Amino acid sequence: MPIIGDLSGKVVERLSQYRQLLLKYRYTSGPHINSSDLSRLTGATQESVRRDLMLIGCQSSNIRKGYQVQDMIDSINAVLDPYDKCRMALVGDNDAFTETLLYEYENELIRLVAIFDFEALGNGIKRGDLNRFHFGKINEGIKNLKVNLVILNVPGAFTRQTADIIVQSGVRGIVNMSPVKLDIPGVYIENINIITSIEKATFFMKWRQYV
Amino acid sequence: MPIIGDLSGKVVERLSQYRQLLLKYRYTSGPHINSSDLSRLTGATQESVRRDLMLIGCQSSNIRKGYQVQDMIDSINAVLDPYDKCRMALVGDNDAFTETLLYEYENELIRLVAIFDFEALGNGIKRGDLNRFHFGKINEGIKNLKVNLVILNVPGAFTRQTADIIVQSGVRGIVNMSPVKLDIPGVYIENINIITSIEKATFFMKWRQYV
DNA sequence: ATTCTATTGTTTATTTATTAACAGGTAAAC
DNA sequence: GTTTACCTGTTAATAAATAAACAATAGAAT
């Protein structure tokens, strides 16, 4: 069995997607699912599904029925959420993501605990478990709530300086949604560039239509 | 020179990122930029930068100064925006993206023309060039405004049915921000899964910290 | 004018990821 | 009990992406 830390980014992405799907279908589908169905539902190939599950040591396969759904979820959990809980904050509000993270995301080991934005006035307006702070309280809020992952969603002009504050407060993981690439030594940064995605979509859409 | 339609997704992504950077730095930096600087600023390797520019036939290189910035932008424009304008809509609001697309995005060939969400009451409340409609008007609005690209940003439970309406209205390109994978024949779909990005970030962040 | 440095264009090698292929074996059907 | 069909695990082949390396040369320095 490979060392888990050696898993590539692609494998981790697929594992995350398998799990999202399995969690959604857990109660409506049967107790088993085969690599062919999982392939169709996630977009990965059958071979990738089987290889990924082998890699993480998912043992419950039944050569005729496929894999046991709950065991597969447990196996992925063991890889993706191996240590303590992850406490997450949104910096720069984004209603759509907030809804997703609060109401659709079933992973209890990764929890949204704070939102920092321009509009919040006080020092921590609560809504359930979720604290809402003004931008000025980022440092304080991150430290007090022990935030270790941030989803950064501010205008490009503020990206770098905001990221610096966040990192100074102790965060070591950032999902950067703004179209300014971040690269900070010692911090894992996942850059999501919406502009790139738009331009990619227009490019390939056009080639499909015209060629 | 290769056929432009053969460019891989990765190359297109990098071209988009080079251009974003060049547009930002156009006025503050000098008239030339070399592959080393562009590499550092975008995260691609020097070799990738040079190979990509060769691929698209960027001719203005100067063996001592680097590439001419404006010529590089023109070359990328010719590849990424080869045909008519692209008219874009947001389905499901997302303030952060709206701001980015309206005020930070310099590409005049891709224009945000409509927002569809739950809160809009009328049949097209304008804000500058931008029309805002209620969800119920998706079909009508897309057709009237000749929208051909949509950024889809609705709760997972509505993703598929909303996408179907959008496609029925004639759209052939979707940037899907919801965590439910879309796959519609004849439609180019760029799936951006925020949950996957979060889980990937937590995974690699943890491995950096603990191993 | 000459030397030297920096940068490109291109080749080659390496790594990574995807795709194909198939032997083996288990559960189901009869 | 025997046969059959199907699904996994694994290996091999292909393709794609990344990284390394370097000759050629334009322009700067002197």
Side-chain angles (χ1 to χ4, degrees), chain B residues 2-21:
Chain B
I3 311 227
I4 288 175
D6 289 342
L7 295 180
S8 73
K10 295 267 184 180
V11 172
V12 173
E13 284 175 18
R14 283 196 299 263
L15 290 175
S16 166
Q17 279 155 21
Y18 303 152
R19 184 169 65 176
Q20 285 176 57
L21 193 104

Side-chain angles (χ1 to χ4, degrees), chain B residues 71-119:
Chain B
D71 180 72
M72 215 194 296
I73 293 173
D74 293 341
S75 300
I76 297 175
N77 285 346
V79 172
L80 292 190
D81 304 314
Y83 305 113
D84 54 351
K85 290 192 184 187
C86 182
R87 296 168 65 80
M88 181 168 58
L90 276 170
V91 173
D93 200 1
N94 183 321
D95 285 338
F97 289 153
T98 309
E99 297 295 311
T100 297
L101 296 174
L102 284 177
Y103 303 116
E104 295 191 49
Y105 191 34
E106 296 194 47
N107 187 340
E108 287 173 11
L109 291 173
I110 301 179
R111 251 184 52 223
L112 180 61
V113 297
I115 295 176
F116 300 92
D117 65 24
F118 285 120
E119 283 166 20

Side-chain angles (χ1 to χ4, degrees), chain B residues 10 14 23 32 37 44 55-56 63 74 80 82 87 94 101 104 111 130 139 149 178 181 191 205:
Chain B
K10 295 267 184 180
R14 283 196 299 263
L23 290 172
H32 290 86
D37 287 345
L55 274 174
I56 65 170
I63 213 163
D74 293 341
L80 292 190
R87 296 168 65 80
N94 183 321
L101 296 174
E104 295 191 49
R111 251 184 52 223
L130 182 65
N139 192 295
L149 181 76
S178 80
K181 190 150 200 156
N191 288 292
M205 178 181 72

Side-chain angles (χ1 to χ4, degrees), chain A residues 34-35 50 54 61 63-64 67:
Chain A
N34 64 35
S35 56
R50 296 204 291 270
M54 251 191 353
S61 64
I63 214 162
R64 182 81 180 189
Y67 301 85

Side-chain angles (χ1 to χ4, degrees), chain B residues 34-35 50 54 61 63-64 66-67:
Chain B
N34 62 35
S35 56
R50 295 204 292 269
M54 253 190 352
S61 64
I63 213 163
R64 181 81 180 188
Y67 301 85

